[in-house]
């Protein structure tokens, strides 16, 4: 009984912390900014708010608690699959005040369910908690893309100094041979991370850090966006159609290149990983450097595989959950940290910054591992398999610590760059 009530109060505290963050992201924004669809790529922020409530109501109150939906008439409008992003701005959405009420009412129902039933095996609770945390990252993408100010009401942590010497072009060797990939049977993981399986990879080299802004700037100014031979056919036509000449969020000012950050324009920091590049750009950049993007299996091996011990770590540095000196996660960095700023987060092969800072594009198309079983619903990942989505790995500065592991897979289309996406190169050994 004591254990149950301890688990319930821990769950309630986790939910409260996640909610505090959700509300902090929009606290300083005007109603208009919260309610407007700023881009067809992103939902109005107010959609995310009510969607978080609808999801929690469905999974905690109904599926786990056996109750009825609070507002069944809203279910379709706030279902991510039934209502794609591009149309969300045209719907009669709840306004900000209504969405906040909906969030609060559902939360009361959730807490009542937890009191009555405990957390069970914790799986649906974890799904719901991480869902809210992941939407916080999506909301930050929308906030950055629309350049909304003032910045979220978050604590901003001091930025670590640039250690120097990292461009993204330095590499570490990953020995060839068998390793294990994916999430094991125990503990929380998404369906697409399972089953854990063996792969046998030839030796390869992988970037010690992600590619930095300085290195990308050399590419930009060295004709990277003009040299046809570096681009795939699809990438070239995307670049031409959208007149892409530099990463998202960059602009050239009288004083040099600047970059849009969460709190406004700032001079481009040469030491930070480049962010807001599409897969097409990442692929062209790799070709220009006689390199390639890592496959997702290579990425995971470099991030987790301990060759000496013959096993994978849960995190690059070992088993302990993320903390600020090992990885820049949690949003309070307000952007990526300089490449190589967290040597204590090194993976067994010596790669740095595998978790946090920027999502890293891989060459792999998103699909299920052999033996995949959809859980708890097909629309989480299965419906995206084989549809041209590329896998990204490692989370970003805007990912929450709890929602980020080394087996976690993200996916997006190769032309997208609203996501906090960068890259790390790979080479055949
Ligand atoms: Fe969602």
């Amino acid at each position: 009984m004591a254990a149950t009530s301890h688990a319930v109060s821990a769950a309630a505290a986790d939910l409260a912390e996640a909610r505090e963050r959700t509300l902090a992201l929009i606290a300083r924004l005007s109603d208009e900014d919260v309610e407007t669809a700023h881009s067809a790529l992103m939902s109005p922020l107010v959609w995310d708010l009510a969607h978080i409530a609808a999801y929690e109501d469905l999974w905690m109150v109904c599926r786990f608690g056996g109750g009825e939906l609070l507002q069944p008439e809203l279910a379709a409008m706030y279902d991510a699959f039934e209502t794609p992003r591009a149309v969300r701005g045209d719907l009669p959405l709840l306004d900000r005040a209504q969405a906040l009420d909906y969030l609060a009412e559902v939360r009361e129902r959730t807490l009542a369910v937890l009191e009555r039933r405990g957390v069970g095996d914790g799986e649906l609770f974890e799904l719901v908690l991480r869902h809210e945390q992941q939407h916080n990252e999506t909301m930050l993408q929308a906030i950055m893309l629309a350049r909304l100010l003032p910045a979220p009401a978050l604590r901003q942590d001091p930025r670590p100094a640039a250690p120097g010497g990292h461009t993204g072009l330095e590499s570490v060797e990953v020995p060839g041979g068998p390793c294990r990939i994916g999430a094991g049977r125990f503990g929380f993981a998404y369906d697409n991370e399972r089953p854990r399986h063996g792969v046998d990879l030839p030796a390869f080299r992988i970037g010690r850090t992600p590619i930095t802004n300085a290195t990308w700037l050399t590419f930009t100014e060295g004709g990277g966006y003009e040299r046809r031979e570096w681009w795939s056919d699809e990438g070239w036509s995307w670049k031409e159609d959208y007149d892409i000449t530099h990463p998202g969020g960059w602009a050239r000012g009288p004083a040099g290149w600047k970059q849009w950050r969460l709190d406004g324009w700032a001079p481009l920091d040469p030491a930070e990983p480049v962010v807001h590049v599409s897969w097409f750009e990442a692929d062209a950049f790799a070709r220009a450097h006689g390199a390639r993007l890592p496959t997702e299996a290579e990425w995971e091996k470099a991030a987790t595989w301990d060759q000496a011990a013959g096993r994978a770590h849960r995190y690059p540095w070992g088993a302990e959950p993320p903390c600020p000196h090992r990885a820049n996660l949690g949003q309070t960095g307000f952007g990526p940290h300089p490449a190589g700023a967290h040597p204590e987060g090194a993976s067994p092969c010596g790669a740095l910054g595998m978790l946090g800072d920027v999502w890293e594009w891989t060459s792999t198309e998103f699909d299920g591992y052999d033996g995949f079983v959809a859980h708890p619903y097909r629309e989480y990942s299965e419906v995206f398999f084989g549809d041209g989505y590329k896998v990204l790995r490692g989370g970003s500065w805007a990912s929450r610590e709890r929602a980020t592991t080394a087996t976690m897979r993200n996916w997006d289309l190769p032309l997208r760059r609203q996501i906090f996406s960068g890259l790390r190169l790979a080479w055949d050994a």
Side-chain angles (χ1 to χ4, degrees), residues 44 52 77 83 105-106 109 115 129 175 195 197 214 252 263 265 274 288 299 318 325 327 343 359 381:
I52 290 169
M77 188 156 67
T83 305
E105 282 176 55
V106 169
R109 290 157 59 89
E115 279 301 323
L129 176 69
H197 57 282
R252 204 200 303 256
D263 49 359
W265 289 106
V274 69
W299 188 96
H325 63 276
W359 287 100
S381 41

Side-chain angles (χ1 to χ4, degrees), residues 160-225:
H166 297 293
T167 67
L169 300 177
E170 305 74 33
S171 66
V172 294
E173 184 164 351
V174 182
C179 66
R180 307 277 296 163
I181 298 291
R185 258 191 285 168
F186 302 105
F188 181 87
Y190 293 101
D191 57 1
N192 63 56
E193 301 170 52
R194 291 185 164 130
R196 193 161 172 73
H197 57 282
V199 294
D200 194 350
L201 301 173
F204 63 98
R205 303 190 70 81
I206 194 163
R208 184 182 292 280
T209 67
I211 293 297
T212 62
N213 283 328
T215 308
W216 196 280
L217 185 57
T218 304
F219 172 72
T220 302
E221 296 191 329
Y225 288 87

Side-chain angles (χ1 to χ4, degrees), residues 47 51 55 80 131 135:
W47 185 90
H51 166 75
Y55 193 92
H131 179 258
H135 270 275

Side-chain angles (χ1 to χ4, degrees), residues 47-48 51-52 55 78-81 88 131-132 134-135 138 377 380:
W47 185 90
D48 289 88
H51 166 75
I52 290 169
Y55 193 92
Y78 292 110
D79 181 293
F81 194 69
R88 290 173 192 166
H131 179 258
E132 180 156 0
Q134 288 176 339
H135 270 275
T138 317
Y377 56 106
Y380 182 76

Side-chain angles (χ1 to χ4, degrees), residues 56 103-113:
E56 181 172 319
L103 277 167
E105 282 176 55
V106 169
R107 181 53 55 85
E108 268 184 45
R109 290 157 59 89
T110 296
L111 295 175
V113 166

Side-chain angles (χ1 to χ4, degrees), residues 213-227 230 245-247 250-253 255-258 268 285 289:
N213 283 328
T215 308
W216 196 280
L217 185 57
T218 304
F219 172 72
T220 302
E221 296 191 329
Y225 288 87
E226 288 135 41
R227 297 275 293 270
W230 289 337
T245 54
H246 52 71
W250 284 27
R252 204 200 303 256
W257 285 95
K258 56 185 183 171
L268 186 69
F285 178 95
H289 289 81

Side-chain angles (χ1 to χ4, degrees), residues 12 15-16 19 48-65 67-75 78 94 97-116 124-125 128-129 131-132:
L15 289 170
R19 181 57 45 81
D48 289 88
L49 297 179
H51 166 75
I52 290 169
Y55 193 92
E56 181 172 319
D57 202 32
L58 174 64
W59 289 101
M60 284 309 293
V61 179
C62 296
R63 298 289 165 83
F64 179 67
E68 301 286 317
L69 287 177
L70 176 63
Q71 301 209 51
E73 72 284 4
L74 298 180
Y78 292 110
L94 300 183
Q98 291 167 332
L100 293 176
D101 284 348
Y102 186 27
L103 277 167
E105 282 176 55
V106 169
R107 181 53 55 85
E108 268 184 45
R109 290 157 59 89
T110 296
L111 295 175
V113 166
L114 288 173
E115 279 301 323
R116 195 174 78 241
L124 289 181
F125 163 75
V128 165
L129 176 69
H131 179 258
E132 180 156 0

